[in-house]
Amino acid sequence: MSNLKIAIQKSGRLSDDSIKLFKECGIKFEVGKSKLKSTSRNFPADFLFLRDDDIPGYVEDGVADVGIVGENVLVEYGKDVDTAKALGFSKCRLSLAVPREVDYPGIEYFEGKSIATSYPNLLKKYLDKKGVNAQIHIISGSVEIAPGIGLAEGVCDIVSTGGTLLSNGLKEVEEIFQSEALMISNKGLSDEKRVLLESLLFRINAVQKAQSHKYVLLNAPNAKIDDIIRVMPGMRSPTITPLKQEGWSSIHSVLKESDFWENIETMREAGAEGILVIPIEKMIS
């Protein structure tokens, strides 16, 4: 069986998040700054470390079978690939920004002005939708410096926390696109490769489901068990075990973390004691 070729960003936050995900899936492979390729020791996969904007093209051409890429990059380059899974990490937004001292009136500010960006297609689509005619300067990196050197009146760039804009004297004024990490795949994958991809997605789903759930244990008086399990039903139903102390039981359940925090006070008011919340490493439905 030939290995599944997986392309990931060679450096940056998306690279770190992707590598972390594969490690959590139990897939072992070597990572290094100078490495361009690595073969897993325990899963039939070869990892290719590439520039993020090259990944959609490599997957479309079949050089890589699968890739992890930002949704912003995929849409910008418009390659013909399948989206295997939205991964939910490396979330960011593509935004317009102007110098902090500008009294920004609205999108009409950019009429007739110049904007520096690495995402000309996404930017043009947004400006056309808003009916704004602006000049787009395409820059491959360090977009934030453009207003400071007189190249453009504004920028369009990826924003996570806004710290980079702030440090360059800019402020975010328009959000034009929301992005997250996607797993993409070649449209012509062989049946053999599709089986490997499904195996990989099975592991990813198990890891990600576990991250959003917690194993909850608590003690409760038997008279209050029905009140408590109404707000902690679990995957199918809770496990209830009698304690040595007469009239008390231990209740075990798996809950979504959000459900736990929404209902914790109700559980306590119903008499729950000794509540333990334990992380889950993997969760198989």
Side-chain angles (χ1 to χ4, degrees), residues 220-230 240 247-251 270:
N222 291 343
K224 295 293 185 177
I225 287 176
D226 288 343
D227 295 335
I228 292 171
I229 64 175
R230 271 196 288 270
I240 301 173
W248 283 76
S249 295
S250 175
I251 303 175

Side-chain angles (χ1 to χ4, degrees), residues 201-245:
L201 290 174
F202 177 82
R203 294 192 185 202
I204 291 172
N205 289 335
V207 167
Q208 293 191 329
K209 191 169 184 180
Q211 290 170 345
S212 63
H213 288 71
K214 294 290 183 284
Y215 190 74
V216 179
L217 304 87
L218 57 85
N219 298 329
N222 291 343
K224 295 293 185 177
I225 287 176
D226 288 343
D227 295 335
I228 292 171
I229 64 175
R230 271 196 288 270
V231 294
M232 57 177 300
M235 294 178 66
R236 186 176 296 273
S237 65
T239 299
I240 301 173
T241 305
L243 296 180
K244 185 176 181 181
Q245 182 178 348

Side-chain angles (χ1 to χ4, degrees), residues 28-199:
K28 298 179 180 180
F29 60 101
E30 298 297 326
V31 178
K33 288 186 177 180
S34 61
K35 271 189 173 294
L36 299 178
K37 181 180 177 182
S38 180
T39 298
S40 172
R41 302 192 298 274
N42 64 345
F43 187 85
D46 294 324
F47 290 87
L48 312 177
F49 303 98
L50 306 171
R51 282 169 44 94
D52 59 343
D53 50 3
D54 289 336
I55 292 175
Y58 274 84
V59 173
E60 181 186 51
D61 295 340
V63 175
D65 301 310
V66 172
I68 294 182
V69 67
E71 187 175 1
N72 56 299
V73 173
L74 178 62
V75 175
E76 174 66 27
Y77 288 93
K79 299 299 183 180
D80 189 23
V81 297
D82 288 332
T83 299
K85 182 175 176 60
L87 295 170
F89 59 76
S90 293
K91 292 186 176 182
C92 59
R93 57 194 180 274
L94 186 64
S95 294
L96 285 162
V98 298
R100 276 206 303 272
E101 64 272 14
V102 169
D103 184 13
Y104 182 73
I107 191 64
E108 63 271 17
Y109 168 82
F110 291 103
E111 181 66 35
K113 292 185 170 63
S114 59
I115 306 171
T117 187
S118 301
Y119 301 93
N121 294 323
L122 281 168
L123 175 57
K124 186 176 187 308
K125 183 178 179 180
Y126 180 80
L127 294 175
D128 288 347
K129 180 181 176 182
K130 296 294 184 179
V132 173
N133 183 28
Q135 183 180 2
I136 298 176
H137 284 287
I138 303 174
I139 300 179
S140 60
S142 302
V143 170
E144 296 84 0
I145 199 174
I149 61 175
L151 178 63
E153 283 94 349
V155 303
C156 177
D157 202 16
I158 289 297
V159 180
S160 294
T161 64
T164 302
L165 293 180
L166 188 66
S167 64
N168 284 277
L170 301 174
K171 62 182 179 181
E172 186 179 0
V173 293
E174 301 280 345
E175 180 184 295
I176 74 172
F177 190 81
Q178 287 272 354
S179 179
E180 66 176 296
L182 300 178
M183 177 168 284
I184 59 174
S185 62
N186 179 268
K187 283 183 171 292
L189 281 185
S190 66
D191 290 343
E192 181 182 66
K193 293 290 182 71
R194 288 192 185 279
V195 169
L196 291 177
L197 175 57
E198 288 303 316
S199 176

